[in-house]
Amino acid sequence: MKNRRQARISAAQFATMVTSAYLGLGIFYFPRPLVSAAGRSGIYGLWLDGLVAGGLMWLMFRANRVVPTETLSEYGPQLLGKPLGFLIAGFTIAYHVALAISAAILYSFVIGNIFLPTTPIWAIDGAMTVTAAYLALSGTAGLARTLQAAYLPTLVVAAFSVVLAISLIHHPVLLIPSGDLAVMPILEGAYRQFLIFIGFEASVTLYPYVRDGDRRTAERYSFYALIGVVVVLTGIYEITLSIFGPALVTQLRWPLAATYGVISVPGFFISKLGTLLIVLWTIVIVAFMALRLWCLGHDVNALFPHPSTKTFQWGVVIMALTVMIMAPLIPNAKIDDILSTTYLIPLGLGYLAGVPLLILVAARLRRHLVNHLRLSSESP
């Protein structure tokens, strides 16, 4: 679909989509991995994750600028050679599928345990995946506008909930970061919690769809959004720790859901505001899955000799069916956590660091080819 991208997105929409591409995974475990590994010092692991994510995002954006009007799956085989280019494209597709499966089954367990204990997990997973597929098929601009309308208000309400939870604090001394800077526990917690920032590799597919002239602004907005996410997560971390204490946080199955579950506003038309917030997080998870399926549709489409809208649509549908079939095969949240820690995090970190470096090195060594790719992709 080279140079035939009719629907362009704004810089703010790009930042929203990149944020929704990573925040949906691991959020309901938060901040248990940090607290379990480093106790009160876990907050430093969160800030370290934010710094690492920012550095990797900067590296990814640098790679996106090599051929800004094409996705990695489109120009990768030409720049890196077909064997390596198609290998990376295949890994990208497989990783998107794995992230979508992990997000779908995790949130299905959360909703099933809290609200729908008698509903089969496959039914919850199927409903979410079908909704995400519909969003992915609505088009780039349509998906972007939907996420802006639904995703941002959810994050604002979630941040406001932190203020409401202040009255529930039982251990105010825990609001003060610990002076114990034990390096290894902090690194362990940061590694296990980095799952919440995995996923912004979606930018390699999103980047060409940003309006011409807005790409640098889109990058800057994405960094602002990352800072905002870290600030909100810091507030959630502090509130959760000071309400329940470190010992109890490590025992909570879904710490975020437990925190929201105790938030109430007497006299408000919905007294259990925290329960409403848990439901609203469905938007975040569905947005995460919709971005996965949208990227999968375009990445699969790029592998065809003559990409078209129809092959994109079929790609989304087939990948959605794959997620619906494979997600229920994960028996419980513990297995999902083990698989994520063992495979998704190291493979994701390797991808986020290795692929951009490979592209930048290849672009430096093959400058004439890069110029040719840029000219050919921009020609009518």
Side-chain angles (χ1 to χ4, degrees):
M1 297 173 71
K2 297 178 183 178
N3 208 39
R4 296 194 291 274
R5 298 182 176 92
Q6 305 267 332
R8 298 285 183 170
I9 59 177
S10 67
Q13 288 171 333
F14 175 84
T16 302
M17 294 174 82
V18 168
T19 305
S20 63
Y22 63 79
L23 189 57
L25 195 60
I27 184 65
F28 279 92
Y29 291 132
F30 182 82
R32 191 179 67 203
L34 292 168
V35 179
S36 297
R40 290 178 58 194
S41 301
I43 189 66
Y44 301 116
L46 171 63
W47 295 340
L48 178 61
D49 280 345
L51 288 174
V52 172
L56 293 175
M57 191 179 290
W58 174 84
L59 191 64
M60 187 67 73
F61 289 158
R62 288 289 301 272
N64 291 342
R65 298 175 197 168
V66 171
V67 186
T69 53
E70 290 190 13
T71 68
L72 174 61
S73 296
E74 289 173 341
Y75 74 82
Q78 300 175 72
L79 177 62
L80 304 173
K82 287 188 177 180
L84 183 56
F86 284 123
L87 178 63
I88 292 176
F91 179 85
T92 302
I93 291 171
Y95 197 71
H96 279 312
V97 172
L99 290 177
I101 290 172
S102 181
I105 196 61
L106 174 60
Y107 197 68
S108 296
F109 286 136
V110 174
I111 291 296
N113 291 338
I114 297 175
F115 298 109
L116 305 170
T118 60
T119 303
I121 292 297
W122 62 263
I124 303 173
D125 162 59
M128 290 180 56
T129 306
V130 168
T131 304
Y134 177 79
L135 285 175
L137 290 170
S138 65
T140 311
L143 176 59
R145 285 192 292 268
T146 301
L147 294 185
Q148 275 192 310
Y151 187 86
L152 294 179
T154 300
L155 292 184
V156 171
V157 175
F160 180 64
S161 69
V162 173
V163 178
L164 296 177
I166 291 177
S167 62
L168 303 172
I169 292 176
H170 296 145
H171 312 281
V173 69
L174 296 179
L175 292 171
I176 304 173
S178 171
D180 182 15
L181 298 177
V183 176
M184 292 309 297
I186 291 174
L187 290 178
E188 180 187 350
Y191 170 80
R192 292 171 56 191
Q193 190 64 75
F194 195 76
L195 187 66
I196 209 169
F197 293 104
I198 289 287
F200 58 81
E201 83 287 340
S203 68
V204 301
T205 306
L206 280 169
Y207 203 75
Y209 291 85
V210 182
R211 294 169 188 162
D212 294 332
D214 284 354
R215 293 190 177 99
R216 296 297 180 91
T217 304
E219 294 177 12
R220 188 168 64 251
Y221 285 179
S222 297
F223 286 117
Y224 294 159
L226 176 62
I227 294 171
V229 166
V230 173
V231 170
V232 171
L233 291 178
T234 298
I236 294 175
Y237 177 96
E238 293 287 346
I239 289 296
T240 302
L241 198 66
S242 57
I243 289 177
F244 298 108
L248 184 55
V249 168
T250 61
Q251 304 301 315
L252 294 174
R253 190 172 193 181
W254 317 113
L256 182 68
T259 302
Y260 284 160
V262 299
I263 298 176
S264 61
V265 184
F268 191 54
F269 70 97
I270 299 179
S271 60
K272 275 293 183 181
L273 183 62
T275 304
L276 172 64
L277 287 169
I278 297 174
V279 177
L280 287 177
W281 271 97
T282 306
I283 298 172
V284 179
I285 307 300
V286 171
F288 179 90
M289 294 177 60
L291 256 297
R292 298 295 121 205
L293 295 175
W294 182 89
C295 290
L296 281 166
H298 285 288
D299 289 336
V300 170
N301 196 25
L303 300 178
F304 286 84
H306 303 288
S308 66
T309 301
K310 184 163 290 187
T311 54
F312 162 75
Q313 293 172 341
W314 275 110
V316 171
V317 171
I318 292 172
M319 291 303 166
L321 289 173
T322 302
V323 172
M324 290 175 62
I325 293 171
M326 296 187 67
L329 298 179
I330 300 176
N332 53 62
K334 181 63 177 179
I335 298 298
D336 179 70
D337 187 23
I338 293 172
L339 292 174
S340 298
T341 305
T342 307
Y343 298 107
L344 288 185
I345 294 177
L347 290 175
L349 284 169
Y351 183 97
L352 293 172
V355 171
L357 287 173
L358 189 62
I359 293 171
L360 292 172
V361 171
R364 188 172 184 83
L365 296 176
R366 310 182 74 179
R367 294 179 182 178
H368 294 295
L369 177 58
V370 170
N371 291 333
H372 172 72
L373 291 174
R374 287 176 177 173
L375 290 174
S376 63
S377 66
E378 292 172 358
S379 60

